[in-house]
Amino acid sequence: MNINLRRLLIAVLLLGLLLPAVALFAKERSEFPDQYKWDLTPLYPTLEALKQEQSRFLADAEKLSAYKGKLGLSAKKFQEALDLYYRLENRLRRMESYAYMAVDSDTRVSESKALKSEIETIRTKFSGIASFIDPEIVALGQKKVNGFLAKNPGLKNYRFGLSETFRRQKHILSQPEEKIMAAAQDLTGQPDSLYSLFTNADLTQDTVTLTDGTKVKMSYAAYEKLRQSLVDSDRVLAFKTLFGQYDRFKRTLAEILYGQMKAHRFNATARHYDSTLAAALDYPGIDTRIYTSLIEAAHQNFGTFHRYLKLKARALGKTKLDYTDIYLPFTRDVSIPAPYPQAQELLLQALAPLGEEYVNTVREAFQQRWIDVYPNDGKDQGAYSNGWAYEIHPYILLNYNDLYGDLLTLAHEMGHTMHSYFSNKNQPFPTADYSTFVAEVASTFNENLMNDYMLKKVTSDQEKFYLLGNFLDNSIRGTFFRQIQFAEFELMIHQRVEKGEALTDDVLNKMFLDLARQYYGHDQGVADVPDFIAAEWSVIPHFYYNYYVYQYSTSIAAASLLSQKVLDGEPGARDAYYNHLLKAGGSDNPVRLLQQAGADMTNPAAYQALMDRANRYMDEMEKLLDKMEKAKKAGK
Ligand SMILES: [Zn+2]
């Protein structure tokens, strides 16, 4: 069973892109026509209706307590309890959806904030009420539960969830031990809170003077903007200043990260896992070989990554790329505007290979106001898809700014939304939720289709060069190699702590720098990774998430493989993608689902499609560059 709030919250968070959109000319929400704002009335027609539901809900939730200690009485009782639990969970998610989206549309409205905190309280109470279910099921034993399953066909929707509970059974402890583990959770979560509080609230920010005399306070947002500056010295200054701000506290930050690693080790050991990796990957049942073969795939394909780094240096007119150049786009000569009305049409056309039903549903999303489009004052930044309102439809939050990147974000979030839509429509509620391991497949799949479509559509060499480069920057550098580099670092620091060795600032700096230099071919003269990059480990919050980032890389590789099959019209490919991914939710082990959908991530060959695409793109870019350089010379 999936009675685990933290996992659910993380799943929701993941669906957002980690790209804060910068709203330059934000307006008041009331200034936008309704058609560009999401319609929350299908969730509750009025606020009054939601208030009524809130008070009804807690009374109904109390009824669950009546089943405590009685799950084993009969197959019928067992089913009644689970039915009630999932009905309540479904209702609560609809309330949460409403409250979170109300706050996100304008975070300044105190009425919405109050509503959100009321619903959070309801969630805490409900978790407390339902907490007896998992331990009681385990105490009944697999034999008894299987007997219930055989006797009562009404339990079929719970079959997979129950088998997962028993698969992990040997890592579930005795009741008194579980009580201690639950109490310890407050402590083991502390390093993560400490890190975010320290880096968000207490870390001091330096003020620097740019080449043109402008003074800038080096917040993370300022760094993100300046690392793309065309002025070399400003860019280097941004890197040095931001990393330096963290480096000043490297002893403290190392100790906090060490604390987090020890917490992971404590959990793994207490639950009798061989390693922290095995413990972390066991929740959705991912084989640890997937993790290690992903790292192998990166190493085997360094040649492709280095080719990319050299090509970038050439495009930027440099003899060798520096780590501080990596956020520069391949070309500044073009931008592809994408106003929202045109973007909708382009996306509909790009998604045509997925068939009529898919395209019609996307059209419905546009017409029926599933999407909150433009940035307004007080609106939550970034973008996400929310698929929690099981019987209604998913919603999308955007901060659309009419740029090509915004069109890609729309395609991305639409991928999540369609995944939720088809899974919610085809799966019973208990198996509708998809695992984070497959979550980023449907989203990057759509980005691939969008990119492919645009490549065929644009006519000028510059636009083509821009699109190809944009794909390489995002997918090859940003998602594939960078996230695997982080995943490898994460594995190394965990293993060190598992061996009983300490993590100090010197150790972390050296490990991070050595690994970065290996990935970027520093010693082979491919790209320069300066010494101060050693501090980057302390800038990245993901190392606190317990083996999380590798899923970005597996997903993008799987999406590349699956979308290529669909684009090539490979027989059965589209149906497999529909049936085993889009419609499958969390009905089976996520690795098995992906395998049936056509991407076997246990096989290193699964990564080949992405590498092939990258090399194909680079072939084309080299030809375009030859042509553009020749034209430039002739013009002079
Ligand atoms: Zn996403």
Side-chain angles (χ1 to χ4, degrees), residues 222-242:
Y223 157 75
E224 268 189 322
K225 199 172 156 230
L226 280 168
R227 70 188 183 185
Q228 297 182 58
S229 165
L230 285 183
V231 183
D232 283 358
S233 56
D234 286 350
R235 223 168 42 246
V236 175
L237 182 67
F239 271 90
K240 276 192 170 161
T241 309
L242 187 97

Side-chain angles (χ1 to χ4, degrees), residues 129-142:
I129 294 169
S131 64
F132 73 92
I133 298 178
D134 258 356
E136 200 171 318
I137 290 174
V138 172
L140 291 180
Q142 192 163 17

Side-chain angles (χ1 to χ4, degrees), residues 540-556:
I540 293 154
H542 296 76
F543 296 136
Y544 290 83
Y545 301 179
N546 204 6
Y547 297 107
Y548 190 84
V549 296
Y550 79 101
Q551 302 172 107
Y552 291 122
S553 314
T554 49
S555 288
I556 204 162

Side-chain angles (χ1 to χ4, degrees), residues 618-630:
M618 287 191 277
D619 291 343
E620 244 180 280
M621 287 179 84
E622 277 166 5
K623 276 185 218 144
L624 288 169
L625 212 48
D626 287 343
K627 215 165 128 189
M628 290 188 292
E629 281 171 356
K630 223 184 239 170

